[in-house]
Amino acid sequence: MKLMLVLAAVAAATSSGLTSAPALARGGCVVPRLYALKLGTAKGLLTHAGCTLAGVSYQRPRAGIARITAQVPPPGAMLPASARVFLIVS
């Protein structure tokens, strides 16, 4: 069952325009894991990874401090340089 999920994820990544490792050698973007981080920290990690912050959506806060609750594309995605990453903050 897990193998089918992995294969489905790889197929989805391939069809969504994600690139391979050789593209990263030329200066790509590997999306970092941003869940539970503050927005400022997430911006710094995106810049360091070669990605660009595309947009932020805000939801009603669940706790006192705003944290990243979702991101698109998912962590580990290999994308072209300066690829756009969307965040949801709650």
Side-chain angles (χ1 to χ4, degrees):
M1 182 68 162
K2 289 182 183 179
L3 178 60
M4 291 178 14
L5 293 174
V6 171
L7 292 175
V10 170
T14 304
S15 66
S16 66
L18 301 178
T19 60
S20 63
L24 295 178
R26 295 185 301 259
C29 161
V30 177
V31 180
R33 184 182 189 280
L34 304 173
Y35 300 114
L37 297 178
K38 294 180 182 178
L39 186 56
T41 305
K43 287 179 183 179
L45 286 174
L46 284 173
T47 301
H48 182 70
C51 306
T52 304
L53 179 62
V56 178
S57 294
Y58 292 91
Q59 295 178 334
R60 179 173 291 169
R62 297 180 193 169
I65 300 172
R67 302 284 181 159
I68 307 296
T69 58
Q71 66 184 78
V72 175
M78 295 185 290
L79 305 168
S82 299
R84 298 168 31 163
V85 178
F86 295 89
L87 302 175
I88 297 178
V89 176
S90 177

